[in-house]
Amino acid sequence: MSNLIQHVKTGGRFEEVYRYSRLIRIGDWIISSGTAGRNYATREISADVAGQVHQSMKNLSSALAAFGATVRDIVHIRVFITSQNDLVEALETLATYFEGTDPVHAIHCGPLPGGEEVKIELEITCYKPENTEIRREWLLAQPN
């Protein structure tokens, strides 16, 4: 196993000011920082939560490409959202990215950094082995 940690920077000014990376890769695992639905090139942000989800996933997809990974490699997603009123729309929008992969979710509701216009931030963990094809299996657990 390699002891290499790889970092992806996306050129955002806060990455330099606050000294963080958009993604890191440690072996087969890729972990992201929280990623808002802001277009980092133009600084624009959609007024609706669905638009912010799409932009956040676009931001993450671009960063994942540096490791040859895609959203299909996401196994865990943390959703940070400012309002419960936007939760259903956000989750329905996210679901369009996860057909056939069904990652686990954690959802947190409360204020977010980046201004009042930021409604959602996503943080992901991916499993991306270098030379192995991923197989998936779904099991059904019976409730107690």
Side-chain angles (χ1 to χ4, degrees):
M1 179 172 183
S2 172
N3 58 2
L4 175 66
I5 299 175
Q6 297 173 297
H7 298 256
V8 171
K9 299 278 195 170
T10 56
R13 66 184 175 112
F14 291 129
E15 290 177 357
E16 290 309 310
V17 171
Y18 300 121
R19 307 303 312 156
Y20 71 93
S21 298
R22 179 64 45 207
L23 300 174
I24 61 167
R25 181 177 192 145
I26 305 168
D28 295 337
W29 295 96
I30 301 168
I31 304 161
S32 82
S33 291
T35 303
R38 182 181 303 280
N39 180 318
Y40 293 127
T42 65
R43 304 297 299 154
E44 294 175 355
I45 191 164
S46 175
D48 66 274
V49 73
Q52 290 190 28
V53 168
H54 286 302
Q55 184 63 54
S56 182
M57 291 300 290
K58 186 183 287 188
N59 295 342
L60 288 164
S61 293
S62 295
L64 286 169
F67 291 136
T70 71
V71 298
R72 294 196 53 79
D73 298 309
I74 296 172
V75 295
H76 186 212
I77 185 163
R78 283 159 293 284
V79 178
F80 299 89
I81 192 161
T82 58
S83 172
Q84 293 253 352
N85 296 334
D86 290 330
L87 186 57
V88 170
E89 183 179 3
L91 293 178
E92 287 175 349
T93 305
L94 271 174
T96 66
Y97 291 91
F98 299 126
E99 179 72 32
T101 61
D102 301 348
V104 295
H105 286 72
I107 301 166
H108 309 273
C109 188
L112 290 170
E116 289 184 22
E117 69 273 15
V118 176
K119 295 179 180 229
I120 195 162
E121 192 170 275
L122 304 176
E123 184 182 299
I124 60 169
T125 302
C126 298
Y127 180 66
K128 179 68 174 165
E130 291 285 337
N131 299 312
T132 306
E133 183 176 329
I134 301 290
R135 292 179 342 133
R136 292 182 183 271
E137 182 177 272
W138 279 260
L139 307 173
L140 181 61
Q142 298 299 317
N144 292 329

PDB file of all heavy atoms in Angstrom, residues 73-98:
ATOM      1  N   ASP A  73     -18.540   6.653  -8.311  1.00  0.00           N
ATOM      2  CA  ASP A  73     -17.630   6.116  -7.295  1.00  0.00           C
ATOM      3  C   ASP A  73     -17.980   6.600  -5.887  1.00  0.00           C
ATOM      4  O   ASP A  73     -17.354   6.187  -4.913  1.00  0.00           O
ATOM      5  CB  ASP A  73     -16.190   6.505  -7.630  1.00  0.00           C
ATOM      6  CG  ASP A  73     -15.751   5.914  -8.960  1.00  0.00           C
ATOM      7  OD1 ASP A  73     -15.911   4.688  -9.151  1.00  0.00           O
ATOM      8  OD2 ASP A  73     -15.265   6.673  -9.817  1.00  0.00           O
ATOM      9  N   ILE A  74     -18.972   7.474  -5.764  1.00  0.00           N
ATOM     10  CA  ILE A  74     -19.373   7.992  -4.446  1.00  0.00           C
ATOM     11  C   ILE A  74     -20.059   6.879  -3.655  1.00  0.00           C
ATOM     12  O   ILE A  74     -20.997   6.244  -4.141  1.00  0.00           O
ATOM     13  CB  ILE A  74     -20.312   9.211  -4.591  1.00  0.00           C
ATOM     14  CG1 ILE A  74     -19.579  10.371  -5.262  1.00  0.00           C
ATOM     15  CG2 ILE A  74     -20.863   9.634  -3.222  1.00  0.00           C
ATOM     16  CD1 ILE A  74     -20.476  11.552  -5.625  1.00  0.00           C
ATOM     17  N   VAL A  75     -19.578   6.648  -2.431  1.00  0.00           N
ATOM     18  CA  VAL A  75     -20.188   5.645  -1.554  1.00  0.00           C
ATOM     19  C   VAL A  75     -20.844   6.285  -0.329  1.00  0.00           C
ATOM     20  O   VAL A  75     -21.624   5.638   0.366  1.00  0.00           O
ATOM     21  CB  VAL A  75     -19.172   4.569  -1.114  1.00  0.00           C
ATOM     22  CG1 VAL A  75     -18.701   3.751  -2.320  1.00  0.00           C
ATOM     23  CG2 VAL A  75     -17.995   5.164  -0.364  1.00  0.00           C
ATOM     24  N   HIS A  76     -20.506   7.546  -0.052  1.00  0.00           N
ATOM     25  CA  HIS A  76     -21.090   8.251   1.087  1.00  0.00           C
ATOM     26  C   HIS A  76     -21.204   9.727   0.741  1.00  0.00           C
ATOM     27  O   HIS A  76     -20.253  10.309   0.221  1.00  0.00           O
ATOM     28  CB  HIS A  76     -20.203   8.075   2.330  1.00  0.00           C
ATOM     29  CG  HIS A  76     -20.776   8.642   3.575  1.00  0.00           C
ATOM     30  ND1 HIS A  76     -20.003   9.175   4.570  1.00  0.00           N
ATOM     31  CD2 HIS A  76     -22.047   8.777   4.006  1.00  0.00           C
ATOM     32  CE1 HIS A  76     -20.766   9.599   5.559  1.00  0.00           C
ATOM     33  NE2 HIS A  76     -22.017   9.374   5.234  1.00  0.00           N
ATOM     34  N   ILE A  77     -22.360  10.302   1.014  1.00  0.00           N
ATOM     35  CA  ILE A  77     -22.548  11.730   0.778  1.00  0.00           C
ATOM     36  C   ILE A  77     -23.151  12.361   2.018  1.00  0.00           C
ATOM     37  O   ILE A  77     -24.071  11.811   2.626  1.00  0.00           O
ATOM     38  CB  ILE A  77     -23.407  11.999  -0.479  1.00  0.00           C
ATOM     39  CG1 ILE A  77     -23.485  13.486  -0.760  1.00  0.00           C
ATOM     40  CG2 ILE A  77     -24.779  11.372  -0.367  1.00  0.00           C
ATOM     41  CD1 ILE A  77     -23.932  13.829  -2.164  1.00  0.00           C
ATOM     42  N   ARG A  78     -22.561  13.480   2.410  1.00  0.00           N
ATOM     43  CA  ARG A  78     -23.075  14.265   3.521  1.00  0.00           C
ATOM     44  C   ARG A  78     -23.717  15.511   2.937  1.00  0.00           C
ATOM     45  O   ARG A  78     -23.078  16.240   2.171  1.00  0.00           O
ATOM     46  CB  ARG A  78     -21.959  14.627   4.499  1.00  0.00           C
ATOM     47  CG  ARG A  78     -21.583  13.449   5.397  1.00  0.00           C
ATOM     48  CD  ARG A  78     -20.204  13.572   6.010  1.00  0.00           C
ATOM     49  NE  ARG A  78     -19.104  13.492   5.067  1.00  0.00           N
ATOM     50  CZ  ARG A  78     -18.650  12.383   4.487  1.00  0.00           C
ATOM     51  NH1 ARG A  78     -19.230  11.241   4.717  1.00  0.00           N
ATOM     52  NH2 ARG A  78     -17.636  12.410   3.656  1.00  0.00           N
ATOM     53  N   VAL A  79     -24.976  15.717   3.274  1.00  0.00           N
ATOM     54  CA  VAL A  79     -25.749  16.844   2.772  1.00  0.00           C
ATOM     55  C   VAL A  79     -25.920  17.836   3.912  1.00  0.00           C
ATOM     56  O   VAL A  79     -26.486  17.504   4.943  1.00  0.00           O
ATOM     57  CB  VAL A  79     -27.138  16.371   2.264  1.00  0.00           C
ATOM     58  CG1 VAL A  79     -27.963  17.551   1.779  1.00  0.00           C
ATOM     59  CG2 VAL A  79     -26.999  15.300   1.194  1.00  0.00           C
ATOM     60  N   PHE A  80     -25.402  19.027   3.705  1.00  0.00           N
ATOM     61  CA  PHE A  80     -25.578  20.117   4.659  1.00  0.00           C
ATOM     62  C   PHE A  80     -26.565  21.084   4.022  1.00  0.00           C
ATOM     63  O   PHE A  80     -26.312  21.590   2.923  1.00  0.00           O
ATOM     64  CB  PHE A  80     -24.242  20.815   4.942  1.00  0.00           C
ATOM     65  CG  PHE A  80     -23.212  19.899   5.540  1.00  0.00           C
ATOM     66  CD1 PHE A  80     -22.370  19.167   4.728  1.00  0.00           C
ATOM     67  CD2 PHE A  80     -23.102  19.766   6.915  1.00  0.00           C
ATOM     68  CE1 PHE A  80     -21.414  18.314   5.272  1.00  0.00           C
ATOM     69  CE2 PHE A  80     -22.152  18.919   7.474  1.00  0.00           C
ATOM     70  CZ  PHE A  80     -21.306  18.188   6.644  1.00  0.00           C
ATOM     71  N   ILE A  81     -27.686  21.332   4.682  1.00  0.00           N
ATOM     72  CA  ILE A  81     -28.744  22.144   4.090  1.00  0.00           C
ATOM     73  C   ILE A  81     -29.254  23.143   5.129  1.00  0.00           C
ATOM     74  O   ILE A  81     -29.299  22.832   6.317  1.00  0.00           O
ATOM     75  CB  ILE A  81     -29.865  21.238   3.534  1.00  0.00           C
ATOM     76  CG1 ILE A  81     -30.831  22.011   2.657  1.00  0.00           C
ATOM     77  CG2 ILE A  81     -30.551  20.462   4.629  1.00  0.00           C
ATOM     78  CD1 ILE A  81     -31.660  21.125   1.738  1.00  0.00           C
ATOM     79  N   THR A  82     -29.598  24.336   4.673  1.00  0.00           N
ATOM     80  CA  THR A  82     -29.988  25.385   5.608  1.00  0.00           C
ATOM     81  C   THR A  82     -31.449  25.308   6.030  1.00  0.00           C
ATOM     82  O   THR A  82     -31.808  25.809   7.083  1.00  0.00           O
ATOM     83  CB  THR A  82     -29.734  26.782   5.012  1.00  0.00           C
ATOM     84  OG1 THR A  82     -30.452  26.907   3.785  1.00  0.00           O
ATOM     85  CG2 THR A  82     -28.251  27.011   4.780  1.00  0.00           C
ATOM     86  N   SER A  83     -32.304  24.689   5.212  1.00  0.00           N
ATOM     87  CA  SER A  83     -33.732  24.687   5.519  1.00  0.00           C
ATOM     88  C   SER A  83     -34.351  23.324   5.243  1.00  0.00           C
ATOM     89  O   SER A  83     -34.183  22.768   4.154  1.00  0.00           O
ATOM     90  CB  SER A  83     -34.465  25.745   4.686  1.00  0.00           C
ATOM     91  OG  SER A  83     -35.866  25.621   4.842  1.00  0.00           O
ATOM     92  N   GLN A  84     -35.098  22.822   6.206  1.00  0.00           N
ATOM     93  CA  GLN A  84     -35.827  21.559   6.019  1.00  0.00           C
ATOM     94  C   GLN A  84     -36.814  21.684   4.856  1.00  0.00           C
ATOM     95  O   GLN A  84     -37.135  20.693   4.213  1.00  0.00           O
ATOM     96  CB  GLN A  84     -36.588  21.210   7.300  1.00  0.00           C
ATOM     97  CG  GLN A  84     -35.689  20.875   8.446  1.00  0.00           C
ATOM     98  CD  GLN A  84     -35.685  19.406   8.771  1.00  0.00           C
ATOM     99  OE1 GLN A  84     -36.463  18.636   8.228  1.00  0.00           O
ATOM    100  NE2 GLN A  84     -34.802  19.010   9.653  1.00  0.00           N
ATOM    101  N   ASN A  85     -37.281  22.905   4.596  1.00  0.00           N
ATOM    102  CA  ASN A  85     -38.241  23.123   3.516  1.00  0.00           C
ATOM    103  C   ASN A  85     -37.661  22.773   2.151  1.00  0.00           C
ATOM    104  O   ASN A  85     -38.408  22.487   1.214  1.00  0.00           O
ATOM    105  CB  ASN A  85     -38.731  24.573   3.504  1.00  0.00           C
ATOM    106  CG  ASN A  85     -39.492  24.926   4.760  1.00  0.00           C
ATOM    107  OD1 ASN A  85     -40.076  24.073   5.416  1.00  0.00           O
ATOM    108  ND2 ASN A  85     -39.476  26.194   5.111  1.00  0.00           N
ATOM    109  N   ASP A  86     -36.336  22.811   2.003  1.00  0.00           N
ATOM    110  CA  ASP A  86     -35.671  22.504   0.727  1.00  0.00           C
ATOM    111  C   ASP A  86     -35.197  21.060   0.635  1.00  0.00           C
ATOM    112  O   ASP A  86     -34.669  20.645  -0.400  1.00  0.00           O
ATOM    113  CB  ASP A  86     -34.456  23.418   0.536  1.00  0.00           C
ATOM    114  CG  ASP A  86     -34.833  24.863   0.277  1.00  0.00           C
ATOM    115  OD1 ASP A  86     -35.910  25.103  -0.306  1.00  0.00           O
ATOM    116  OD2 ASP A  86     -34.047  25.755   0.661  1.00  0.00           O
ATOM    117  N   LEU A  87     -35.372  20.286   1.701  1.00  0.00           N
ATOM    118  CA  LEU A  87     -34.757  18.962   1.764  1.00  0.00           C
ATOM    119  C   LEU A  87     -35.282  18.001   0.702  1.00  0.00           C
ATOM    120  O   LEU A  87     -34.496  17.337   0.025  1.00  0.00           O
ATOM    121  CB  LEU A  87     -34.927  18.361   3.163  1.00  0.00           C
ATOM    122  CG  LEU A  87     -34.220  17.043   3.406  1.00  0.00           C
ATOM    123  CD1 LEU A  87     -32.725  17.159   3.147  1.00  0.00           C
ATOM    124  CD2 LEU A  87     -34.486  16.552   4.818  1.00  0.00           C
ATOM    125  N   VAL A  88     -36.589  17.910   0.531  1.00  0.00           N
ATOM    126  CA  VAL A  88     -37.144  16.964  -0.446  1.00  0.00           C
ATOM    127  C   VAL A  88     -36.645  17.300  -1.851  1.00  0.00           C
ATOM    128  O   VAL A  88     -36.190  16.410  -2.587  1.00  0.00           O
ATOM    129  CB  VAL A  88     -38.689  16.938  -0.383  1.00  0.00           C
ATOM    130  CG1 VAL A  88     -39.265  16.144  -1.549  1.00  0.00           C
ATOM    131  CG2 VAL A  88     -39.157  16.348   0.941  1.00  0.00           C
ATOM    132  N   GLU A  89     -36.691  18.571  -2.229  1.00  0.00           N
ATOM    133  CA  GLU A  89     -36.211  18.970  -3.558  1.00  0.00           C
ATOM    134  C   GLU A  89     -34.725  18.650  -3.726  1.00  0.00           C
ATOM    135  O   GLU A  89     -34.293  18.163  -4.779  1.00  0.00           O
ATOM    136  CB  GLU A  89     -36.453  20.460  -3.786  1.00  0.00           C
ATOM    137  CG  GLU A  89     -36.044  20.928  -5.163  1.00  0.00           C
ATOM    138  CD  GLU A  89     -36.299  22.410  -5.397  1.00  0.00           C
ATOM    139  OE1 GLU A  89     -36.739  23.119  -4.471  1.00  0.00           O
ATOM    140  OE2 GLU A  89     -36.030  22.855  -6.528  1.00  0.00           O
ATOM    141  N   ALA A  90     -33.943  18.896  -2.690  1.00  0.00           N
ATOM    142  CA  ALA A  90     -32.506  18.608  -2.758  1.00  0.00           C
ATOM    143  C   ALA A  90     -32.259  17.111  -2.924  1.00  0.00           C
ATOM    144  O   ALA A  90     -31.458  16.697  -3.779  1.00  0.00           O
ATOM    145  CB  ALA A  90     -31.806  19.125  -1.507  1.00  0.00           C
ATOM    146  N   LEU A  91     -32.942  16.282  -2.143  1.00  0.00           N
ATOM    147  CA  LEU A  91     -32.728  14.834  -2.224  1.00  0.00           C
ATOM    148  C   LEU A  91     -33.242  14.262  -3.544  1.00  0.00           C
ATOM    149  O   LEU A  91     -32.614  13.360  -4.115  1.00  0.00           O
ATOM    150  CB  LEU A  91     -33.380  14.135  -1.033  1.00  0.00           C
ATOM    151  CG  LEU A  91     -32.742  14.438   0.324  1.00  0.00           C
ATOM    152  CD1 LEU A  91     -33.505  13.738   1.434  1.00  0.00           C
ATOM    153  CD2 LEU A  91     -31.270  14.066   0.349  1.00  0.00           C
ATOM    154  N   GLU A  92     -34.371  14.775  -4.042  1.00  0.00           N
ATOM    155  CA  GLU A  92     -34.862  14.319  -5.343  1.00  0.00           C
ATOM    156  C   GLU A  92     -33.881  14.679  -6.454  1.00  0.00           C
ATOM    157  O   GLU A  92     -33.658  13.896  -7.381  1.00  0.00           O
ATOM    158  CB  GLU A  92     -36.244  14.918  -5.628  1.00  0.00           C
ATOM    159  CG  GLU A  92     -37.345  14.289  -4.800  1.00  0.00           C
ATOM    160  CD  GLU A  92     -38.704  14.957  -4.970  1.00  0.00           C
ATOM    161  OE1 GLU A  92     -38.779  16.055  -5.572  1.00  0.00           O
ATOM    162  OE2 GLU A  92     -39.698  14.375  -4.479  1.00  0.00           O
ATOM    163  N   THR A  93     -33.280  15.852  -6.366  1.00  0.00           N
ATOM    164  CA  THR A  93     -32.289  16.265  -7.371  1.00  0.00           C
ATOM    165  C   THR A  93     -31.040  15.399  -7.266  1.00  0.00           C
ATOM    166  O   THR A  93     -30.508  14.928  -8.283  1.00  0.00           O
ATOM    167  CB  THR A  93     -31.943  17.758  -7.203  1.00  0.00           C
ATOM    168  OG1 THR A  93     -33.152  18.519  -7.248  1.00  0.00           O
ATOM    169  CG2 THR A  93     -30.998  18.229  -8.299  1.00  0.00           C
ATOM    170  N   LEU A  94     -30.563  15.165  -6.048  1.00  0.00           N
ATOM    171  CA  LEU A  94     -29.388  14.301  -5.853  1.00  0.00           C
ATOM    172  C   LEU A  94     -29.631  12.894  -6.381  1.00  0.00           C
ATOM    173  O   LEU A  94     -28.732  12.279  -6.955  1.00  0.00           O
ATOM    174  CB  LEU A  94     -29.028  14.221  -4.369  1.00  0.00           C
ATOM    175  CG  LEU A  94     -28.092  15.261  -3.835  1.00  0.00           C
ATOM    176  CD1 LEU A  94     -27.959  15.125  -2.328  1.00  0.00           C
ATOM    177  CD2 LEU A  94     -26.742  15.188  -4.500  1.00  0.00           C
ATOM    178  N   ALA A  95     -30.832  12.390  -6.186  1.00  0.00           N
ATOM    179  CA  ALA A  95     -31.147  11.017  -6.602  1.00  0.00           C
ATOM    180  C   ALA A  95     -30.910  10.799  -8.095  1.00  0.00           C
ATOM    181  O   ALA A  95     -30.573   9.691  -8.510  1.00  0.00           O
ATOM    182  CB  ALA A  95     -32.590  10.687  -6.241  1.00  0.00           C
ATOM    183  N   THR A  96     -31.014  11.849  -8.894  1.00  0.00           N
ATOM    184  CA  THR A  96     -30.801  11.699 -10.335  1.00  0.00           C
ATOM    185  C   THR A  96     -29.355  11.341 -10.668  1.00  0.00           C
ATOM    186  O   THR A  96     -29.080  10.863 -11.765  1.00  0.00           O
ATOM    187  CB  THR A  96     -31.203  12.987 -11.105  1.00  0.00           C
ATOM    188  OG1 THR A  96     -30.338  14.059 -10.745  1.00  0.00           O
ATOM    189  CG2 THR A  96     -32.657  13.367 -10.826  1.00  0.00           C
ATOM    190  N   TYR A  97     -28.434  11.552  -9.745  1.00  0.00           N
ATOM    191  CA  TYR A  97     -27.016  11.247  -9.972  1.00  0.00           C
ATOM    192  C   TYR A  97     -26.635   9.836  -9.517  1.00  0.00           C
ATOM    193  O   TYR A  97     -25.544   9.376  -9.820  1.00  0.00           O
ATOM    194  CB  TYR A  97     -26.131  12.250  -9.220  1.00  0.00           C
ATOM    195  CG  TYR A  97     -26.205  13.639  -9.793  1.00  0.00           C
ATOM    196  CD1 TYR A  97     -27.142  14.551  -9.320  1.00  0.00           C
ATOM    197  CD2 TYR A  97     -25.358  14.033 -10.826  1.00  0.00           C
ATOM    198  CE1 TYR A  97     -27.218  15.833  -9.856  1.00  0.00           C
ATOM    199  CE2 TYR A  97     -25.431  15.309 -11.360  1.00  0.00           C
ATOM    200  CZ  TYR A  97     -26.370  16.203 -10.872  1.00  0.00           C
ATOM    201  OH  TYR A  97     -26.445  17.456 -11.413  1.00  0.00           O
ATOM    202  N   PHE A  98     -27.512   9.158  -8.769  1.00  0.00           N
ATOM    203  CA  PHE A  98     -27.098   7.930  -8.091  1.00  0.00           C
ATOM    204  C   PHE A  98     -27.859   6.687  -8.508  1.00  0.00           C
ATOM    205  O   PHE A  98     -27.883   5.700  -7.774  1.00  0.00           O
ATOM    206  CB  PHE A  98     -27.183   8.141  -6.574  1.00  0.00           C
ATOM    207  CG  PHE A  98     -26.278   9.235  -6.091  1.00  0.00           C
ATOM    208  CD1 PHE A  98     -26.773  10.288  -5.343  1.00  0.00           C
ATOM    209  CD2 PHE A  98     -24.929   9.238  -6.413  1.00  0.00           C
ATOM    210  CE1 PHE A  98     -25.933  11.305  -4.900  1.00  0.00           C
ATOM    211  CE2 PHE A  98     -24.086  10.252  -5.983  1.00  0.00           C
ATOM    212  CZ  PHE A  98     -24.597  11.287  -5.231  1.00  0.00           C
TER     213      PHE A  98
END
